[in-house]
Amino acid sequence: MQIFDLAAADHAFIAEVQARSHQDIKTCYQCGNCTAGCPYTFAYDYSVSQIMRLIQTGQKDAVLKSRSIWLCGSCQSCTTRCPNNIDVALIMDVCRHMAREAGYATERAVKVFADSFLNSVSRYGRAFELGLMTEYMARSGRIFTDVDLAPSALMRNKLPFKPHRIQGRDQVARIFERFRKGGAHA
Amino acid sequence: MHNIAYYPGCSGQGTSTEYDRSTRAICQALDIALTDVEDWSCCGSSPAHTVNHVLSAALSARNLAQVEAMGMTRVATPCPSCLSNLRTATHKMKDPDFQSKANALLDTPYRNTVDVQSVLQVLAEHVDPEYIKSKVVNPLTGIKIACYYGCIMNRPPALMQFDHHENPMAMDNLMAAIGAEVVPFPLKVECCGASFGIPRGDIVHKLSGKLLDAGRRLGADCFVTACPLCQMNLDLRQGQINDALHENFKIPIFYYTQLLGYALGLDRAELGFEKLCVDPRRALGKIKQPAQTR
Ligand code: SF4
Ligand code: SF4
């Protein structure tokens, strides 16, 4: 069992999660409905209701360093079933944003995959599956990821070798540029 | 005749070409005119919303602004992930503060005048089932289907506003209307493992394996799905799932549009059954041929 120091609550953290998610964290009464329906609990270090409790008690490090916030599949089961209408999936998203900004990546492969995907979009305007796989393998060091699937996909002509470059790819690239410069929150 | 803007989504150009083609074919057969969103770009998919919501909304809103520029007010997409992103952008941008942040990232601001629906919703709410029935030439009599909606087509309900969030019926009703037997599939809205196939394949193997197991127990000959990511996890990764779980699943995973197209007697070349990894012939063989030859 893990013991958390409730006296060491980080109130600024609680306030930031509330402000960025527009959710009232204290209304969670720990019924566990979210966890009961969460298909990812088996892979989490803290269940989703435990994450809610850790936020309520201001345990910033435990939350932002958790695996769970990276492994949430955004399936919306928790949000749909919370009796207090808390948008729990949104809170998981916000914690992941904050973990990224703080430089954490407890599930590094998940972060590298998302980054590779977005790089591909910023380059061509659309996701280019083969290109993003190549970048992912190079950056994650996982060379043999899914090579078993390649023949199947290639045989069925499902992995184009060339990206679809859209006309407005500069417009899309500018979205990413402005985002990086402005550091827009929310 | 409905005239709707069409947002194909990136996977429609790659891993789910058969979904894109069969969607276009059934819409044409049912008098729904689709006009592609001009020079559409990626909606950001799940990676964007896991990084930042303003970025995610801007990537989606560029496309919605394109729809506005086309003078149209309704866009449909086959992909639930695109649907969820486009609807989330629309919803969040109702807040003026959020809207100005998202528009600040765009060349052309989005005025938020476009309604986003799934192609399934268009079929379920705007096309008379009797009309669809009247067009059936190959009824699907004899085949047992598990309809799998995936986790975000209907959830959260306040955002998606379509069908039921625990027990959606749109695909079940459609498949029943064209003659198939639908099994009462209890995991309709459970998650398949989403986009973790590459970084955490083990998660997909476990979650998708659970779906396949439930389908098999119900005696389903096949699944139908409306989501490119679900279809890929269940079909392309079925071999991996078998290896990881010491299983022997051989369940074909169709897009609902492929079976609808089959029932409507559309050109097989438009339906792309050969694109499926798990051989669908045995399941299709269950369909009783009509007594009279064509
Ligand atoms: S379902 Fe809602 S109230 Fe219940 S534990 Fe989860 S977040 Fe808290
Ligand atoms: S949205 Fe995330 S936390 Fe909520 S039920 Fe789904 S996987 Fe679990």
Side-chain angles (χ1 to χ4, degrees), chain A residues 34 37-40 44 48 71-79 88-89 92:
Chain A
C34 49
C38 175
Y40 288 73
Y44 282 2
V48 53
L71 295 179
C72 161
S74 304
C75 79
Q76 309 295 330
S77 171
C78 50
T79 295
V88 191
M92 293 295 271

Side-chain angles (χ1 to χ4, degrees), chain B residues 192-240:
Chain B
C192 66
S195 54
F196 287 109
I198 292 166
R200 285 290 305 260
D202 59 315
I203 293 182
V204 171
H205 302 153
K206 174 150 176 150
L207 298 183
S208 284
K210 203 163 94 181
L211 298 169
L212 292 168
D213 183 51
R216 184 175 58 189
R217 280 162 196 258
L218 288 165
D221 299 312
C222 64
F223 278 48
V224 297
T225 169
C227 173
L229 198 51
C230 300
Q231 199 278 344
M232 185 165 73
N233 283 339
L234 292 166
D235 181 43
L236 180 65
R237 293 186 186 278
Q238 203 170 115
Q240 284 184 344

Side-chain angles (χ1 to χ4, degrees), chain A residues 25-36 48-50 52-53 56 77-79 81-88 91:
Chain A
I25 306 284
K26 67 177 179 303
T27 60
C28 167
Y29 50 35
Q30 288 290 297
C31 69
N33 246 12
C34 49
T35 297
V48 53
S49 52
Q50 285 174 332
M52 289 298 293
R53 187 69 184 137
Q56 282 181 330
S77 171
C78 50
T79 295
R81 295 173 187 170
C82 172
N84 292 320
N85 292 317
I86 303 171
D87 192 340
V88 191
I91 292 173

